[in-house]
Amino acid sequence: MPVGYLDVPTGADPDRKSAMVRAIYEAVHEVYPFPDDTRIFVREWSPDAVSQNGLLGSEPARPVFMVHVPPAAGIDAKRTMLRKIGAAVGDAYDLPDFMTFVHEHPLDLVALDGGLLADDRQRVGDRTEASIGSARSGVR
């Protein structure tokens, strides 16, 4: 279920970008271990398409990552995930001021192919088991 959008400037090396999305996937999947359906969209912007502080193309674009996930991950698990994502983006794009937004959505507010994820017993079971396991290990 996790879906992420990374807004960055154009020009990253394809091999570094590939390593970056793999690292982001692994960081997210470790905290949100749903059946594989983690999507990451890399949206690249040319300098003339980015305004910062009201100025178009005035400085290197500062990357932003938004990730949509279910609730229930503990704060320590989120901290670890965000550090790993920050490091992966930093390795691919040596840019300042990387910002991440985590948007949490209950499974009864997310649909896949028209069906609520809350109705998918496999996903609900996996999420419940992951939450219980995380709580036992103190990560919740």
Side-chain angles (χ1 to χ4, degrees):
M1 177 249 176
V3 176
Y5 300 93
L6 178 64
D7 290 291
V8 290
T10 59
D13 174 77
D15 291 335
R16 291 174 83 180
K17 193 165 30 173
S18 180
M20 175 195 67
V21 296
R22 183 67 191 173
I24 292 172
Y25 161 77
E26 289 171 356
V28 171
H29 191 70
E30 185 176 310
V31 177
Y32 303 98
F34 277 84
D36 271 349
D37 191 12
T38 299
R39 305 172 193 195
I40 301 166
F41 297 88
V42 179
R43 303 185 292 196
E44 297 182 313
W45 301 90
S46 64
D48 66 345
V50 178
S51 168
Q52 293 171 143
N53 299 323
L55 301 172
L56 194 60
S58 62
E59 55 188 282
R62 296 175 295 220
V64 175
F65 183 61
M66 290 180 284
V67 63
H68 300 270
V69 296
I75 191 75
D76 290 334
K78 288 179 193 173
R79 283 186 182 107
T80 300
M81 176 188 74
L82 294 171
R83 276 193 296 274
K84 289 178 180 180
I85 291 170
V89 173
D91 287 346
Y93 298 89
D94 185 25
L95 296 167
D97 301 325
F98 174 57
M99 187 171 287
T100 302
F101 295 89
V102 178
H103 298 268
E104 294 183 333
H105 305 278
L107 296 181
D108 64 346
L109 296 178
V110 180
L112 176 64
D113 296 331
L116 285 174
L117 290 185
D119 294 338
D120 183 333
R121 293 293 170 215
Q122 175 68 39
R123 287 181 191 268
V124 171
D126 287 349
R127 185 71 232 142
T128 302
E129 289 173 25
S131 294
I132 291 169
S134 294
R136 286 185 184 140
S137 68
V139 177
R140 180 144 212 273

